């Protein structure tokens, strides 16, 4: 979970610098865990183009523990 949140925050910093961001973590012991990183629009110039490896890495990490990644 730490790495998922870390990569999500890195993506916000790179692609939406200065935008407000909210991290939500929910679930229950022994149950499912949900991690959500949501950002608003950046007030600065467009972010750097991404190589796509960040989201791919997040999806791979989630899949390793039986989870999935949704982004948009």
């Amino acid at each position: 979970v730490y790495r998922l949140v870390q990569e999500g925050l890195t993506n916000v910093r790179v692609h939406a610098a200065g935008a407000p961001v909210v991290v939500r973590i929910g679930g229950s012991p022994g149950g499912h865990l949900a991690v959500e990183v949501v950002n608003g629009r950046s007030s600065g110039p467009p972010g750097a183009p991404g190589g796509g490896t960040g989201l791919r890495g997040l999806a791979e990490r989630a899949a390793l523990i039986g989870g999935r990644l949704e982004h948009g």
Side-chain angles (χ1 to χ4, degrees):
V1 171
Y2 174 84
R3 290 290 296 133
L4 292 171
V5 171
Q6 184 180 41
E7 182 63 31
L9 292 174
T10 297
N11 284 347
V12 172
R13 181 179 49 86
V14 170
H15 301 292
V21 62
V22 174
V23 176
R24 293 183 189 97
I25 301 173
S28 61
H32 290 95
L33 182 65
V35 178
E36 184 177 28
V37 178
V38 179
N39 64 275
R41 293 193 180 269
S42 173
S43 58
T53 58
L55 291 176
R56 188 174 338 144
L58 285 173
E60 290 171 359
R61 277 195 178 87
L64 285 172
I65 57 173
R68 69 179 191 279
L69 173 72
E70 296 176 14
H71 59 86

